[in-house]
């Protein structure tokens, strides 16, 4: 039942999340490099078709919609608009039109529980289809249940009601069995009774949790399933919980990579997004951050304090300390760093070298070429086996346009040269050190663009003599 036609999913994501103390809607905060809503919606998409997934949006509805629609496999997800957030029960109430006919069963999830896994949900759905209840909900035990709704049971162990923290009596507060907020309803029975929800609670809200007691009073089956891994069911309400969740995702990612043959030193200091791929026998040093769709081949070394975003690194590449790369490509055998910056659109070809304090932007550095020190190459195409001397600058911007520099294969750019674009250095040409090159240099030529040096013999002694005379005059004046 990988895509269950009898199942629709509602994900509640309309709240601001007051306890986050943020202007950003809670579900747009990120853990493990992805927004909370993306985590929950992609888990839902493993159970049913996106057309039967409904996200209830309210706060920053447009932004939440955009994030979900842009996520892989989620473009078909539907939305329900909850203009006023009058509670989790109200969120379902406003979706009645769309949800009622969507499917036989309705799984309700909260958008702030990103760690929830597919297997746990399948267990719940299986149990629900066997027990024929009106609702089956997950429960879990927490050592510190503060903030969660408590599961109140009768002497026979049957669920009586769910009581929110704020409404708990002192003895109910002691209950460690909690409601993680994951329910599967018989859709028809839910909507037959949802109007019975009242707002007679401290928050004056329509609580979805009250549906348990409502359905029970109607004589319908209310079943629970105990989830042994409470951890996976945790919701995020505060920044501290967000940080703990983020750490959990990072730990899991690092563990998975290590099991797949990647060495990570001090994995607890590394930040690796879930989509990142790394080949076996690559060694990742401490405090490395790998974001987005970064892919690293096998047998690479990434030294400490480097950050890579959406960057593709082939096999056998060395990245020394403290490099910053974004939307770039590095071919096999190349070496980068320390302290190199590859800005978007950079391409470092096979065996090439980018050294310290070198910045590339929209630049291709050809095979075996080297830019080892203190250089800026922007909007440049550098051929194979080119040597770029220390301090070379492509002057790519004239204040209006970005212009191209072409440096053809086997050429040599002397240190501290400025190449004023648009300009081409022909194949095998040399540029004299300290040149300002404003015209194309033909293949095989030497381009020199600098003031001619003149040496003035004996100048130092003459100057000293002159200064000595002046000093003596001043002294005589003072003594008068
Ligand atoms: C809720 C449960 C509580 C449970 C806990 C688990 C209720 C009344 N309480 O409490 O029993 O232990 O989750 O994490 O359901 N939302 C809307 N519209 C609204 C209100 C909320 O879409 O009008 C969304 C929020 O954006 C959020 C989710 O529902 O994603 C849960 O809301 P939240 O305020 O975090 O509920 P809790 O107080 O944590
Ligand atoms: Ca919550």
């Amino acid at each position: 039942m990988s895509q269950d036609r009898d199942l629709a999913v509602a994900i509640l994501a309309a709240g601001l999340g007051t306890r986050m103390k943020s202007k950003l809607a809670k579900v747009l905060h990120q853990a493990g490099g992805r927004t909370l809503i993306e985590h929950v919606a992609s888990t839902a998409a493993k159970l049913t078709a996106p057309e039967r997934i409904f996200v209830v949006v309210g706060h920053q509805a447009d932004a939440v919609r955009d994030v979900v629609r842009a996520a892989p496999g989620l473009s078909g997800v539907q939305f329900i608009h909850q203009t006023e957030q009058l509670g989790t029960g109200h969120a379902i109430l406003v979706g009645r039109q769309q949800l009622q006919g969507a499917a036989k069963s309705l799984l309700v999830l909260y958008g702030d529980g990103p760690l929830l896994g597919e297997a746990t949900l399948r267990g719940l759905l299986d149990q629900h289809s066997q027990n024929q209840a009106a609702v089956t909900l997950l429960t879990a035990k927490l050592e510190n249940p503060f903030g969660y709704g408590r599961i109140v049971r009768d002497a026979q162990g049957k669920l009586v009601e769910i009581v929110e923290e704020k409404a708990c009596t002192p003895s109910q507060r002691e209950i460690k069995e909690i409601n993680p907020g994951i329910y599967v309803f018989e859709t028809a029975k839910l909507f037959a009774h949802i109007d019975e929800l009242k707002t007679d609670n401290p928050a004056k809200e329509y609580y979805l949790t009250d549906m348990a007691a409502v359905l029970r009073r109607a004589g319908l089956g209310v079943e629970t399933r105990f989830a042994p891994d409470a951890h996976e069911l945790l919701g995020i309400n505060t920044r501290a919980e967000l940080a703990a969740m983020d750490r959990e995702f990072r730990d899991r990612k690092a563990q998975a990579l290590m099991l797949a043959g990647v060495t990570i030193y001090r994995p607890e200091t590394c930040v690796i997004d879930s989509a990142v791929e790394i080949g076996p026998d690559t060694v990742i040093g401490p405090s490395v951050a790998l974001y987005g769709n970064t892919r690293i081949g096998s047998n690479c070394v990434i030294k400490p304090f480097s950050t890579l975003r959406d960057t593709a690194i082939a096999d056998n590449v060395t990245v020394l300390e403290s490099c910053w790369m974004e939307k770039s490509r590095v071919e096999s055998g190349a070496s980068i760093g320390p302290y190199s910056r590859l800005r978007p659109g950079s391409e470092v070809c096979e065996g090439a070298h980018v050294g310290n304090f070198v910045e590339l932007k929209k630049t291709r550095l050809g095979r075996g070429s080297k830019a080892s020190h203190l250089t800026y190459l922007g909007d440049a195409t550098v051929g194979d086996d080119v040597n770029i001397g220390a301090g070379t600058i492509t002057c790519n911007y004239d204040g209006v346009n970005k212009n191209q520099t072409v440096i053809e294969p086997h050429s040599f750019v002397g240190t501290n040269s400025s190449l004023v674009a648009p300009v081409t250095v022909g194949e095998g040409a040399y540029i004299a050190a300290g040149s300002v090159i404003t015209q194309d240099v033909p293949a095989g030529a030497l381009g020199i663009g600098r003031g001619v040096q003149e040496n003035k013999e004996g100048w130092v002694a003459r100057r000293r003599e002159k200064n000595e005379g002046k000093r003596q005059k001043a002294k005589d004046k003072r003594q008068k």
Side-chain angles (χ1 to χ4, degrees), residues 19 26 110 112-113 147-148 235-237 241:
R19 289 162 281 182
K26 177 163 66 179
Y110 294 166
D112 64 356
Y148 286 87
I236 289 170
N237 295 313
E241 288 166 354

Side-chain angles (χ1 to χ4, degrees), residues 12 14-15 19 26 82 85 87-88 110 112 148-149 164 179 207:
L12 309 195
R19 289 162 281 182
K26 177 163 66 179
Q82 187 192 19
Q85 287 77 45
T88 49
Y110 294 166
D112 64 356
Y148 286 87
E164 291 305 297
N179 165 43
Y207 284 165

Side-chain angles (χ1 to χ4, degrees), residues 402-425:
K402 299 282 167 63
N403 300 307
Q404 297 289 320
T405 300
V406 177
I407 302 173
E408 292 186 342
H410 312 293
S411 46
F412 179 99
V413 179
T415 55
N416 208 34
S417 293
S418 301
L419 304 170
V420 183
V423 73
T424 296
V425 177

Side-chain angles (χ1 to χ4, degrees), residues 263-431:
T263 293
I264 306 179
Y265 290 112
R266 305 293 304 274
E268 70 280 13
T269 66
C270 293
V271 180
I272 306 178
D273 282 357
S274 52
V276 170
E277 293 170 19
I278 307 179
D281 284 324
T282 283
V283 179
I284 307 286
S287 298
V288 165
L290 305 172
Y291 295 126
N293 292 316
T294 291
R295 288 192 315 277
I296 298 174
S298 53
N299 226 21
C300 295
V301 178
I302 314 287
K303 292 282 188 182
F305 305 110
S306 287
T307 298
L308 280 64
R309 184 181 289 280
D310 300 326
T311 285
I313 305 267
D315 300 337
N316 303 310
V317 169
T318 302
V319 176
L320 296 180
E321 283 80 351
S322 301
C323 293
W324 209 110
M325 306 184 193
E326 188 177 2
K327 295 194 174 102
S328 292
R329 245 170 50 82
V330 178
E331 290 183 357
S332 65
S335 66
I336 316 278
Y339 305 106
S340 308
R341 178 169 183 205
L342 303 190
R343 286 167 56 198
S346 298
E347 210 183 322
V348 179
C349 298
E350 214 179 310
H353 173 60
V354 176
N356 38 205
F357 307 105
V358 172
E359 173 182 346
L360 265 56
K361 188 217 72 171
K362 284 192 187 153
T363 284
R364 179 178 193 274
L365 187 64
R367 266 181 284 160
S369 292
K370 292 182 174 62
S372 299
H373 336 263
L374 303 159
T375 286
Y376 172 59
L377 298 173
D379 303 299
T381 305
V382 180
D384 298 347
D385 297 314
V386 168
N387 188 80
I388 305 283
T392 297
I393 306 286
T394 54
C395 310
N396 58 325
Y397 185 49
D398 57 15
V400 181
N401 296 310
K402 299 282 167 63
N403 300 307
Q404 297 289 320
T405 300
V406 177
I407 302 173
E408 292 186 342
H410 312 293
S411 46
F412 179 99
V413 179
T415 55
N416 208 34
S417 293
S418 301
L419 304 170
V420 183
V423 73
T424 296
V425 177
E427 182 158 0
Y430 268 55
I431 303 293

Side-chain angles (χ1 to χ4, degrees), residues 456-469:
K456 298 188 173 176
E457 294 288 344
W459 180 88
V460 176
R462 286 198 299 280
R463 182 182 137 106
R464 199 176 284 143
E465 221 166 84
K466 204 163 133 197
N467 286 346
E468 212 27 68

Side-chain angles (χ1 to χ4, degrees), residues 59 95 101 117 144 154 208 260 276-277 432:
H59 275 281
N144 174 15
D154 65 14
L208 185 63
V276 170
E277 293 170 19

Side-chain angles (χ1 to χ4, degrees), residues 204-286:
K204 303 261 182 302
E205 287 185 353
Y206 296 95
Y207 284 165
L208 185 63
T209 45
D210 286 345
M211 279 312 295
V214 164
L215 293 170
R216 181 177 164 272
R217 277 201 298 275
L220 296 167
V222 174
E223 296 289 334
T224 61
R225 177 181 173 84
F226 183 71
D229 180 11
H231 198 65
E232 189 189 295
L233 310 174
L234 296 181
I236 289 170
N237 295 313
T238 65
R239 306 261 187 166
E241 288 166 354
L242 183 73
M245 185 66 75
D246 180 67
R247 179 179 179 163
E248 176 73 34
F249 278 111
R250 305 305 184 185
D251 286 351
R252 287 179 177 210
K253 180 67 185 181
Q255 290 298 327
L257 287 168
M258 291 189 285
L259 283 173
V262 178
T263 293
I264 306 179
Y265 290 112
R266 305 293 304 274
E268 70 280 13
T269 66
C270 293
V271 180
I272 306 178
D273 282 357
S274 52
V276 170
E277 293 170 19
I278 307 179
D281 284 324
T282 283
V283 179
I284 307 286

